[in-house]
Amino acid sequence: SAMVATVLLLPTWAAAAVLGLLWIAGAWEWASFVSGHSIPPAVYAAVFVGLMLAAGPLFDARGAGLVASVAVVWWLLASISLWASPWQIPATLVAASEPVALLPSWFLLAYIHGSVPQGPELTLSLFLIVWAADVGAYFFGRLFGRVKLAPHISAGKTWEGAIGGLAA
């Protein structure tokens, strides 16, 4: 597939650029999450590109550790907040969350690709894990899904799908 070739065959700068295009598309799509907000998708994408460029000086072990720490704290706080007290999230907060939700994954995949032994293979392994979990969750959820996981957060997710994703 094109993604496998991108990760395994391209030098890190080119793989990061290709992955960056996919993440920019994700930033563009993020705009659809912000219903009724006046920020056009092109602005989301442009801000994300600016943040990607600004992240360049962080491409060392210390910077990667900082980015990973920020991402872990963000996802823990966001998860705890949603589980403990589901509420309608203001569009401004959803808009502001975009870089913290998207940038670390792109940054860390690019960093791993170029900075560790077998970086391209490890990067591909991370993609394979995510793909397997998505496919497993989808099929287990469709076949066996009965018990809703968190209906106030995502109505279609089931415990059976989550277990299938973990198993896959």
Side-chain angles (χ1 to χ4, degrees):
S1 103
M3 184 61 88
V4 173
T6 294
V7 171
L8 292 180
L9 302 177
L10 294 180
T12 297
W13 67 267
V18 171
L19 294 176
L21 291 173
L22 296 173
W23 267 247
I24 291 165
W28 188 284
E29 184 179 355
W30 194 279
S32 69
F33 297 150
V34 187
S35 59
H37 208 267
S38 61
I39 300 174
V43 172
Y44 276 89
V47 167
F48 193 72
V49 168
L51 290 170
M52 292 168 86
L53 294 171
L58 296 175
F59 272 94
D60 61 17
R62 261 182 83 185
L66 175 66
V67 170
S69 297
V70 168
V72 167
V73 168
W74 160 255
W75 285 109
L76 282 173
L77 291 174
S79 298
I80 290 168
S81 173
L82 286 172
W83 279 90
S85 177
W87 46 283
Q88 185 66 29
I89 301 170
T92 305
L93 182 56
V94 174
S97 299
E98 177 253 334
V100 185
L102 293 179
L103 189 62
S105 59
W106 169 79
F107 178 91
L108 293 168
L109 285 169
Y111 176 76
I112 289 167
H113 187 277
S115 67
V116 299
Q118 292 84 34
E121 293 84 0
L122 181 56
T123 302
L124 182 60
S125 296
L126 293 170
F127 275 111
L128 291 172
I129 290 167
V130 171
W131 294 335
D134 281 350
V135 169
Y138 177 78
F139 284 109
F140 273 75
R142 296 289 288 176
L143 290 172
F144 307 110
R146 300 287 178 268
V147 181
K148 297 296 182 187
L149 179 65
H152 57 278
I153 296 172
S154 181
K157 305 294 187 269
T158 63
W159 278 104
E160 295 83 358
I163 291 167
L166 284 171

